[in-house]
Amino acid sequence: MASMLIDDNKGENYITQQKFNEYELNWIIEDFKFVYESLKVIESPRFPSTSTENGKWYIEFNLANVDKDNVEIVEIFLRNTLNLNKYIKCNIQIIDSFGKESKKFYSHFNIFKTYFIWKKIKADFYKEWDKSTPSSIKVHCKVMVLDSLNDVIPSELTHYSESENLLSQIEKSFEDESLKDVTFKVENKEFTAHKMILSLRSPVFAAVFKSKMSEELTSIIEIKDIESTIFQNMLRFIYTDEVKNLKESAVQLYNAAEKYQLEKLKRMCINSLYKNLSLKTVLETLKFAKQYSIFDLEQSCLKYLASNIETLKKTPEFEELINMYPRYSMEIIEIQRTINYKKQH
């Protein structure tokens, strides 16, 4: 998204560039009357399906709250899995089972921290449906997150071809052995790379290569605390900003990213662990979150445990966790109380 400014004195064109990340949800709630009468709170699926540096979004309907004047209201929340501090814009449309767009909720660009909320009197919320709830509704939500705002720059007279794009060239250099000037020995394998690229991406690599060590020592480096496959994936991320098979290696990659201060890779690993929470993974993920003091991931694990406590509480792994961290027992109980309270109100 860009806006054009004209300098009348010199006749030069300038462009202010704004970069946005957009996320969309299409959510169908079938038998909405039953949902409304049975559930007080309902949450949409998290979106997008893949992890992003902006976390995941979801909508929460509080269908039967009461305001200070004892009037029944419907509350609609836009929430995020991270504590963002960014400008966002949101549009929510609700379409009934006849295809009629009957409700719109939107926000202008505002700082998003924990949630956006819209409130509507219950009677007004259903007025356009002739005082009856539709058999189903479709909710469409579009979220725009302001990623960056560039300074005003002169517009280009000509455009560079895609092959001259710097980021594209860096990515291609991952497989190109020419000009590589450092070798890593990891387990029984060797990996080559460019000192300059590693230094730009990681302050730890930069410190190593800028130190007064001899050229020989900084040109051949042995890594003893990272598996070769993990180190290779980390190198690929440094060159491409992407990770293959993150689900299977998120914990090990986080350890490597922590060592070399790769903050984006750390966030990607956290988001992957959150996305793939299951009965099989939740206990180990909780231990990991506790070890690295990742509060949001820790709380997500505890909520998952509270919702599945009957299945997990008799397992040896759960007993071991409680023995290690006794306070988790009380936290899980408190979360269950909160969940039950919301269901009852």
Side-chain angles (χ1 to χ4, degrees):
M1 180 176 181
S3 58
M4 180 71 74
L5 302 177
I6 306 292
D7 185 333
D8 292 330
N9 293 326
K10 297 182 179 180
E12 295 177 344
N13 294 334
Y14 293 84
I15 299 176
T16 301
Q17 294 181 329
Q18 304 165 26
K19 182 180 177 182
F20 299 96
N21 291 315
E22 296 185 2
Y23 309 100
E24 290 194 55
L25 166 73
N26 286 302
W27 175 32
I28 296 176
I29 307 176
E30 296 183 344
D31 199 358
F32 185 65
K33 183 175 182 179
F34 171 79
V35 171
Y36 166 73
E37 293 175 348
S38 303
L39 301 176
K40 304 304 181 185
V41 177
I42 180 172
E43 293 183 0
S44 76
R46 269 60 170 168
F47 67 98
S49 58
T50 56
S51 300
T52 73
E53 62 180 8
N54 291 317
K56 293 191 175 187
W57 303 88
Y58 63 99
I59 297 172
E60 177 185 306
F61 282 106
N62 191 334
L63 299 171
N65 204 350
V66 178
D67 67 10
K68 62 182 180 179
D69 298 319
N70 204 33
V71 176
E72 284 190 292
I73 59 173
V74 173
E75 294 178 331
I76 300 176
F77 292 87
L78 175 69
R79 298 188 184 276
N80 189 277
T81 56
L82 302 177
N83 291 322
L84 293 181
N85 190 28
K86 295 186 177 182
Y87 278 95
I88 80 153
K89 177 181 180 181
C90 176
N91 288 295
I92 298 176
Q93 299 169 294
I94 301 179
I95 303 169
D96 64 22
S97 52
F98 302 103
K100 179 182 177 183
E101 181 183 89
S102 52
K103 306 287 185 298
K104 285 186 177 181
F105 304 91
Y106 64 91
S107 72
H108 299 293
F109 274 107
N110 285 303
I111 285 289
F112 183 96
K113 293 185 178 179
T114 54
Y115 61 82
F116 282 173
I117 182 173
W118 297 267
K119 297 182 180 181
K120 197 163 182 95
I121 295 175
K122 175 183 171 183
D124 294 337
F125 188 76
Y126 294 109
K127 183 184 296 182
E128 297 176 11
W129 288 325
D130 297 325
K131 299 181 180 180
S132 64
T133 53
S135 58
S136 66
I137 63 171
K138 178 180 179 180
V139 181
H140 175 75
C141 177
K142 182 176 182 180
V143 179
M144 297 178 63
V145 182
L146 182 61
D147 182 66
S148 62
L149 180 63
N150 295 338
D151 294 333
V152 176
I153 58 175
S155 61
E156 298 290 347
L157 181 62
T158 60
H159 296 282
Y160 299 105
S161 64
E162 184 63 28
S163 63
E164 293 174 306
N165 182 281
L166 177 59
L167 294 178
S168 175
Q169 293 298 320
I170 292 175
E171 183 174 342
K172 289 178 181 178
S173 69
F174 180 69
E175 303 291 349
D176 185 358
E177 291 298 318
S178 63
L179 302 180
K180 287 186 176 180
D181 52 359
V182 62
T183 298
F184 295 94
K185 292 185 177 181
V186 189
E187 294 182 323
N188 60 344
K189 295 184 178 181
E190 291 188 353
F191 304 96
T192 55
H194 303 84
K195 291 181 183 178
M196 179 59 71
I197 293 175
L198 300 186
S199 297
L200 291 173
R201 295 283 274 167
S202 163
V204 176
F205 279 128
V208 170
F209 298 136
K210 291 177 182 178
S211 68
K212 295 182 179 180
M213 298 172 65
S214 71
E215 182 65 22
E216 181 181 354
L217 290 177
T218 58
S219 294
I220 302 176
I221 300 176
E222 187 173 1
I223 305 296
K224 297 182 179 181
D225 55 351
I226 301 177
E227 295 178 7
S228 59
T229 54
I230 299 302
F231 189 84
Q232 184 178 30
N233 279 345
M234 184 188 74
L235 272 185
R236 183 179 295 277
F237 166 80
I238 288 174
Y239 279 80
T240 67
D241 233 22
E242 297 178 353
V243 180
K244 293 184 177 180
N245 303 318
L246 182 56
K247 178 181 178 181
E248 290 76 18
S249 58
V251 171
Q252 297 94 322
L253 267 174
Y254 185 95
N255 292 332
E258 175 79 1
K259 176 179 178 179
Y260 292 104
Q261 296 181 27
L262 299 168
E263 297 303 319
K264 182 177 179 179
L265 180 56
K266 288 167 62 176
R267 293 196 299 270
M268 291 170 65
C269 293
I270 292 170
N271 288 335
S272 177
L273 289 168
Y274 169 75
K275 175 185 175 182
N276 294 293
L277 277 180
S278 66
L279 295 174
K280 184 178 179 180
T281 65
V282 64
L283 295 176
E284 289 303 315
T285 301
L286 179 56
K287 292 178 184 178
F288 165 81
K290 174 65 176 176
Q291 177 185 355
Y292 286 101
S293 301
I294 307 172
F295 177 78
D296 288 342
L297 183 60
E298 181 183 25
Q299 291 302 304
S300 296
C301 290
L302 290 173
K303 289 178 182 177
Y304 190 95
L305 275 177
S307 300
N308 297 274
I309 192 65
E310 295 303 320
T311 304
L312 292 167
K313 68 180 182 181
K314 295 181 180 180
T315 63
E317 293 80 6
F318 180 79
E319 293 180 2
E320 178 185 353
L321 175 76
I322 297 303
N323 287 333
M324 291 174 61
Y325 308 108
R327 69 178 179 85
Y328 281 155
S329 293
M330 294 304 300
E331 290 194 39
I332 292 171
I333 293 172
E334 187 61 32
I335 291 171
Q336 286 180 307
R337 288 174 179 169
T338 302
I339 294 173
N340 291 333
Y341 178 83
K342 288 184 176 181
K343 289 181 179 179
Q344 295 171 3
H345 296 81

